[in-house]
Amino acid sequence: MDENRWFWNIIQNDFKTGNIDFEGCMRLLEKMQINFDEDHLKHIFKKTLDKHSGDIISMDDFKAIYRALVHRPEFEELFKAYSMDGNILPDGQLLKFLAKEQFQTEANETTALEIIMKYEPIDEVRKKKQMSFEGFIRYMNSEECSIFKSQHKSVYQDMTQPLCDYFISSSHNTYLIADQLMGPSHLWGYTSALLKGCRCLEIDCWDGNNNEPIVYHGHTLTSKIPFRSVIRVIDKYAFMSSAYPLVLSLENHCSPKQQEVMAECLKTILGDKLLSTPIGGEVDMTRLPSPEALKFKVLVKNKKVGTLEQSLLRMGDDYRGEAEELSDSDFQSDDEDTDDTLPLHRTRSPAKRKGDRKSSIPPQKKPKVKRTKIAIVLSDLVVYTKSQKFVSFEHSQQHQQCYENNSIGESQARKLAKISAKEFISHTTRFITRIYPKGTRMSSSNYNPVEFWNVGCQMVALNFQTPGTQMELQDGKFLDNGGCGYVLKPAFLRDRNTTFTPRNVGAYSKPMSLSIRLISGHQLPPSAMSKTNKADPLVQIEIYGVPEDQARKKSSVVKSNDWQVKEAQTPSWERCLFLKEDGSFLAHCCVHPGQQLSPTDLLVYSSLSGWAKMRKSMGLEDSLIGKAKVAHTSKTK
């Protein structure tokens, strides 16, 4: 059976009652398991209708639409280069294609046969262990040919190392879904973060009416939600996207009485999920437990009274109504640091309104002697994530316990990374360190997380509700390792005796060359400012990592024919890639519609060589086809 007969047999039932409309066209494509962008399909459908009257199409019209969507010329050229007769690809030729074009040097006859069995839609061809062009394009459009390594879509890293050895997906002001002055607080903030695999949520807790704690951004006009409702949502979604431990970072402003209500909510709602005692009762630990050992557990990050041993001794006794006072030397809250929330009345200053654009650090306040009361029953729920005020790297090395964590504001952390990078990295090999945005980011904008990952900071907290390059870097990084929210740090960021710094890579460098050839774009939306409904795009690719890895290249504008672009001028270059030991790299690809509008963003976190597809991270079907090669190379100056 040839491809034409196969095609007519597939679609003929849908045309039994006559021609089909746009809805029928979509249903038929879905039945054939063809991915498409609805706007793009509307564009092609309308062009087809322009050739004749009415709003329905014939079988021949549908075939033309199908070919416009699926039969990309670059795939046809590639297929014919390996097909003996231009119609069929035997398993042996497919194997040659995998080795030469996809650099799958380990591929064998079994590999080729598995691909044929999975993607070849024509029974007669499949039984002969061959592949038609229809099967070939299905393989080329599959996730196996995604730029993202398929092996990284599941947890593949060692999950038995201490918690501090991992980058941990972390959210700032998780309850907010807009700005941090007047925006709404909403339970969806927690739901969406958890569904994305976030493993550290922030909960700002304040006294509410009727002895019920509330969550909102204090001293602002943001709306309020009940603490109890937040914990119920967390209980429902905590481990839906990841089995690994979830940290609740409490920004606790409640009275002891309402802190006791918080503790009761955590215990009764979370139940066995809540970790309230050390594993095995161990209190004299020198290293944190692993994510594997803490699977399906919720950890409370908060101030703590006394030691773990004292908490264990209180087990079984009723300490309701009891609290202890802590001085500001015992803990640090985000709102103490000049980086964090600025109260609403400060926004009257025009200079403050422009805070997002200013990099200057606000004047330091005179230190205040501050004391706060901590309810014992809430304190005793803190085990491996005790909030501890950061004084200095030297002080931490001498006095800090492995289960004590620091929160450092963005501006202070940036300064420390610049002047004391070696000490900063040494600190993060021992202690979990959380970075949070400065308070002048009133619109909930984000900083570049890479600069803090570069010094090993585990919890680099971002405003998940704010789209942009920063969140796309976050999403790209944590797609890795099955999207579980934990990514093992490179060995040189886990070694307490490391000499690595971002600006002095030294002997740790294992340079590779990266060559990228942009081949085509497909279903790219036109510019909203275009008068011709054409995309006319250019492509910009950026590499993120340590300073010597930073690179940016862009193509020239490609004048496109409607929505299809072929053979863009190539932003091909060689760079020393350093981020990951397995050759993976973190890249940001922008497709600009001309040079007029903001980019369409795609992310790459992979070392896949060969023909590859990059799709929009937002789930639409517009894509680029490119060919990439990553190879080890000697370092050149």
Side-chain angles (χ1 to χ4, degrees), residues 21-272:
D21 59 10
F22 180 72
E23 294 296 325
C25 180
M26 284 202 300
R27 284 195 299 270
L28 185 49
L29 288 169
E30 288 167 356
K31 171 183 164 183
M32 298 176 75
Q33 298 182 326
I34 301 300
N35 294 319
F36 60 88
D37 176 74
E38 189 173 337
D39 288 338
H40 182 206
L41 180 60
K42 282 180 181 176
H43 173 73
I44 300 175
F45 193 87
K46 184 178 182 298
K47 282 185 67 178
T48 305
L49 291 179
D50 288 345
K51 297 175 184 177
H52 51 72
S53 59
D55 57 358
I56 54 177
I57 58 170
S58 67
M59 292 176 73
D60 286 330
D61 291 333
F62 179 79
K63 184 178 180 180
I65 290 173
Y66 174 83
R67 290 184 62 85
L69 281 175
V70 178
H71 286 209
R72 303 175 68 167
E74 63 274 12
F75 287 165
E76 292 188 46
E77 292 171 14
L78 192 60
F79 180 80
K80 289 176 180 177
Y82 286 88
S83 170
M84 300 296 192
D85 59 1
N87 297 314
I88 291 296
L89 197 63
D91 56 351
Q93 288 301 107
L94 176 59
L95 191 56
K96 287 182 181 179
F97 164 78
L98 294 174
K100 186 174 180 180
E101 300 290 344
Q102 302 301 81
F103 302 97
Q104 294 186 28
T105 54
E106 74 289 350
N108 53 34
E109 290 180 3
T110 302
T111 309
L113 186 58
E114 286 175 350
I115 290 172
I116 290 170
M117 292 296 112
K118 187 174 181 180
Y119 296 106
E120 177 51 54
I122 305 175
D123 291 338
E124 287 85 345
V125 177
R126 187 171 61 249
K127 287 174 183 176
K128 293 177 183 178
K129 300 181 181 179
Q130 297 174 337
M131 180 172 269
S132 67
F133 182 59
E134 290 291 337
F136 184 73
I137 57 181
R138 279 161 175 75
Y139 167 65
M140 293 299 290
N141 280 319
S142 73
E143 289 304 308
E144 288 188 46
C145 291
S146 168
I147 193 74
F148 185 76
K149 245 185 176 178
S150 59
Q151 299 95 314
H152 292 186
K153 291 178 182 178
S154 57
V155 175
Y156 68 95
Q157 295 178 339
D158 179 4
M159 302 302 287
T160 63
Q161 299 304 309
L163 282 176
C164 59
D165 282 357
Y166 297 84
F167 296 117
I168 303 171
S169 178
S170 303
S171 165
H172 175 253
N173 289 350
T174 315
Y175 49 90
L176 291 179
I177 57 173
D179 69 83
Q180 58 181 339
L181 289 179
M182 293 178 286
S185 303
H186 202 284
L187 295 175
W188 174 247
Y190 292 97
T191 303
S192 60
L194 289 169
L195 291 177
K196 291 178 76 171
C198 182
R199 294 291 86 190
C200 180
L201 308 175
E202 185 175 22
I203 311 177
D204 282 17
C205 311
W206 299 79
D207 280 356
N209 297 328
N210 303 317
N211 202 34
E212 283 291 332
I214 54 173
V215 175
Y216 87 113
H217 209 213
H219 310 301
T220 69
L221 296 179
T222 58
S223 59
K224 303 172 177 66
I225 50 179
F227 177 82
R228 189 180 301 273
S229 299
V230 170
I231 303 306
R232 286 189 181 126
V233 166
I234 290 170
D235 177 59
K236 182 176 180 179
Y237 293 99
F239 302 108
M240 196 167 283
S241 297
S242 172
Y244 291 99
L246 174 65
V247 179
L248 304 184
S249 182
L250 303 184
E251 185 62 36
N252 181 9
H253 303 274
C254 289
S255 63
K257 186 177 180 181
Q258 294 208 16
Q259 287 178 41
E260 291 186 352
V261 177
M262 291 166 57
E264 187 63 22
C265 286
L266 290 165
K267 288 189 284 188
T268 57
I269 296 173
L270 297 177
D272 291 340

Side-chain angles (χ1 to χ4, degrees), residues 6 9 81 108 113 181 194 200 238 252 257 361 375 404 497 500 570 577 587 623:
W6 166 83
N9 282 346
N108 53 34
L113 186 58
L181 289 179
L194 289 169
C200 180
N252 181 9
K257 186 177 180 181
I361 301 174
E404 295 177 329
N497 299 312
F500 165 86
T570 309
L577 296 175
S623 62

Side-chain angles (χ1 to χ4, degrees), residues 145-149 585 603-608 612-614 628:
C145 291
S146 168
I147 193 74
F148 185 76
K149 245 185 176 178
F585 54 90
L603 278 170
V604 182
Y605 189 45
S606 179
S607 62
L608 181 67
K613 161 174 62 72
M614 291 182 286

